[in-house]
Structures are given as C-alpha cells and as structure tokens.
Amino acid sequence: MATSVRVAAAQMTSVNDLSANFSTCSRLVKEAVTAGAKLLCFPENFSYVGSKSGNSLAIAEPLDGPIMKKYCSLAKESSIWLSLGGFQEKGSDDSHLRNTHVLIDDAGNIRSTYSKMHLFDVDVPGGAVYKESSFTEAGNDVVAMDSPFGRLGLTVCYDLRFPDLYQELRFRHGAEVLLVPAAFTKVTGEAHWETLLRARAIETQCYVIAAAQGGKHSEERESYGDSLIIDPWGKIVGRLSDRTSTGIAVADIEFSVIQSVRSKMPISQHRKPVEFWRSASASL
C-alpha cells in the first residue's frame, strides 16, 4: 500500500431530475480525476432529491437497475472509486426503499453496500418534521471493507449522531477511514455538523470523509452543505471555500498519521471492554 492516497468529497445540490444530477456527478468526477483523487465520495441522495418527503419511492430501483449501472460505468470509464450514499434502493415492498451506501471500485464493480440503520424521524427545532421510517427500511449490518484507501467504514447521515456505530467500526471492524455521506438540514447543520464529525474522527482516530448536500433543492427543502475531510487528530484537511457551492474538497489520506496518532495515544488499549460496563452496572 502507498504511504498516502488522494481522496475527494463532493458537494452538490441534487434536485428531482435524475439526468441533471448524473450530469453534475459526471462533472465532479472529471474534477476529481484532474485533481489526482483515486476516490470520490458523493453525498446522501446524490442521484435524486424529491421536492417532498417520500417522493423517492417513485424512482427507487434495485442495485442492478439502470441508475446504478450508469454510475458503475462512470467509475469504470474514469478509473476512479466512487462512494455513493445513500442511493434509493428498492425495498421489500412498493411502499419502502433502503437508503443504501454503495461503494464502487475503479473497474465499475460494486464492492460493498450498507443500508442506513438510524432513520431520521425528527421534529427539527424551528424546522420541519421528518419521518424517514414511513418509507424507508432500516439496515441492521455494520459494514467495513479493505480498499486502497485503508479500511473503510460505511455510514449515512443521521448515523453520525450515534457514536456506538463508529466505535464498532473502529474497534471491532478495524476501520481507518469513516465515510459519512449526508444531507443535514440547515438548522441541524449549523448547530452540530462540524462538531459531530470532528468528534467521530477524534474518538476513533480515523480519517472522516463527509460529503454533503448543500443549498436549496426546492422551495420546501434546503441542506446545510460544508463537505469536510478530517484527519485522525480532528484537524480539517479538506474543505470548500463556499459552504453551499457545487465542487469538491480534496485531501491526502496519510497512513503514517493514522499510525502516529494511534501509537502515541493508544486508546484501543485503554478503553474498557463491553463486559466491564456490564459488570459495573450489575454492581449498582
């Protein structure tokens, strides 16, 4: 494995037009390839954002459908890995889909998938009410895989608020780079986006690549934006100058940084196992 590898996080404003979104993604792939990136991460709902909650059901497809095939061809033609999350994968019935993070290699093959397990059923303070579970099936599996960019941990958006998942990815599945495609609301993004991302990087000693939707998708929906790449010490190493503009943030994954941070502060050795907390609770 090389000592470092260049990666990129996309920032875009997806709309309810599959062709328009694919054109935007294709342009960003070209930018990433020109910048020397070997992996480009797209945000949640990269291929489609409906004007109203649940609109995505109408365009949901299986992973071998025409929408995903176009993105597989794009990866192959451009010789770049793509992180696509979440994709509106057709669910077990016509009234549900899966919010699926898809990882495609530079030969155009789907290498791994993860279905979002924490669904956004939230009454946002000062904002809208969301009920993702009304049309989405939650996933149950923790997913990590080896790649030229280190061992990747796959998550999606609202998962970010649940540190147990990231602890599992680091300490039980060996993750070195955490992927967090998202479409945070403007309200929640302003309050928590950067803080949560840096916390996940620091407490797991992993790189975090967080591709974000940004700007107004429609009159009813707006996303916060601010795509970030963060190193294992919590330092932001990649960011766009404009929080809602369409473009890419680029940074190098330095494997020596991961090793250095982990060796100098060996939290994997110091952390208490699950059994410790169970016995501590039992003694109360």
Side-chain angles (χ1 to χ4, degrees):
M1 184 182 289
T3 57
S4 68
V5 62
R6 184 156 294 178
V7 299
Q11 188 169 285
M12 62 190 294
T13 312
S14 297
V15 294
N16 59 350
D17 184 326
L18 291 165
S19 296
N21 296 328
F22 183 75
S23 295
T24 299
C25 290
S26 297
R27 175 165 61 84
L28 293 175
V29 164
K30 289 179 181 178
E31 288 186 25
V33 170
T34 299
K38 303 302 181 183
L39 166 68
L40 174 59
C41 300
F42 282 105
E44 184 182 27
N45 301 330
F46 63 98
S47 62
Y48 183 87
V49 171
S51 57
K52 294 183 179 179
S53 179
N55 280 5
S56 297
L57 282 171
I59 58 90
E61 287 186 358
L63 294 178
D64 60 357
I67 296 174
M68 188 53 64
K69 282 184 177 179
K70 288 178 69 174
Y71 285 91
C72 288
S73 295
L74 179 61
K76 182 178 181 179
E77 291 163 5
S78 306
S79 297
I80 190 171
W81 285 60
L82 298 178
S83 161
L84 305 171
F87 174 70
Q88 292 94 351
E89 181 187 4
K90 191 170 181 61
S92 60
D93 57 57
D94 291 338
S95 60
H96 291 87
L97 55 77
R98 296 186 187 92
N99 192 339
T100 302
H101 187 162
V102 183
L103 195 65
I104 303 173
D105 68 18
D106 53 5
N109 302 308
I110 294 177
R111 295 290 296 273
S112 189
T113 63
Y114 160 78
S115 293
K116 182 180 181 183
M117 63 173 61
H118 299 102
L119 302 183
F120 195 56
D121 291 357
V122 176
D123 183 351
V124 176
V129 176
Y130 297 85
K131 190 74 172 176
E132 188 177 15
S133 66
S134 67
F135 61 92
T136 305
E137 298 172 350
N140 296 307
D141 297 325
V142 177
V143 177
M145 68 157 289
D146 291 321
S147 78
F149 325 101
R151 188 157 175 81
L152 305 177
L154 278 61
T155 70
V156 178
C157 200
Y158 189 50
D159 286 334
L160 183 59
R161 293 183 180 273
F162 301 89
D164 286 355
L165 171 58
Y166 297 86
Q167 298 283 309
E168 280 285 305
L169 284 166
R170 160 71 206 278
F171 297 110
R172 294 192 63 180
H173 295 267
E176 297 170 307
V177 180
L178 303 170
L179 306 182
V180 191
F184 259 49
T185 70
K186 188 172 184 291
V187 173
T188 58
E190 287 176 344
H192 304 140
W193 173 245
E194 181 181 326
T195 301
L196 287 169
L197 289 169
R198 295 183 69 189
R200 297 296 87 84
I202 293 165
E203 70 196 9
T204 63
Q205 299 175 321
C206 289
Y207 275 91
V208 170
I209 306 175
Q213 292 281 352
K216 295 200 73 170
H217 309 281
S218 64
E219 289 302 317
E220 293 80 17
R221 185 165 179 180
E222 182 176 5
S223 294
Y224 178 68
D226 200 19
S227 291
L228 297 172
I229 303 174
I230 303 169
D231 77 7
W233 193 244
K235 178 183 177 182
I236 295 172
V237 293
R239 185 179 222 161
L240 274 76
S241 58
D242 186 326
R243 178 173 58 78
T244 60
S245 65
T246 296
I248 60 171
V250 179
D252 293 330
I253 300 292
E254 302 278 357
F255 297 109
S256 62
V257 172
I258 301 173
Q259 296 165 1
S260 175
V261 169
R262 293 182 177 185
S263 63
K264 292 178 180 178
M265 188 178 290
I267 60 174
S268 62
Q269 299 173 29
H270 300 157
R271 66 191 297 269
K272 303 300 183 185
V274 173
E275 292 74 21
F276 171 87
W277 297 112
R278 286 175 179 165
S279 61
S281 298
S283 65
L284 293 177

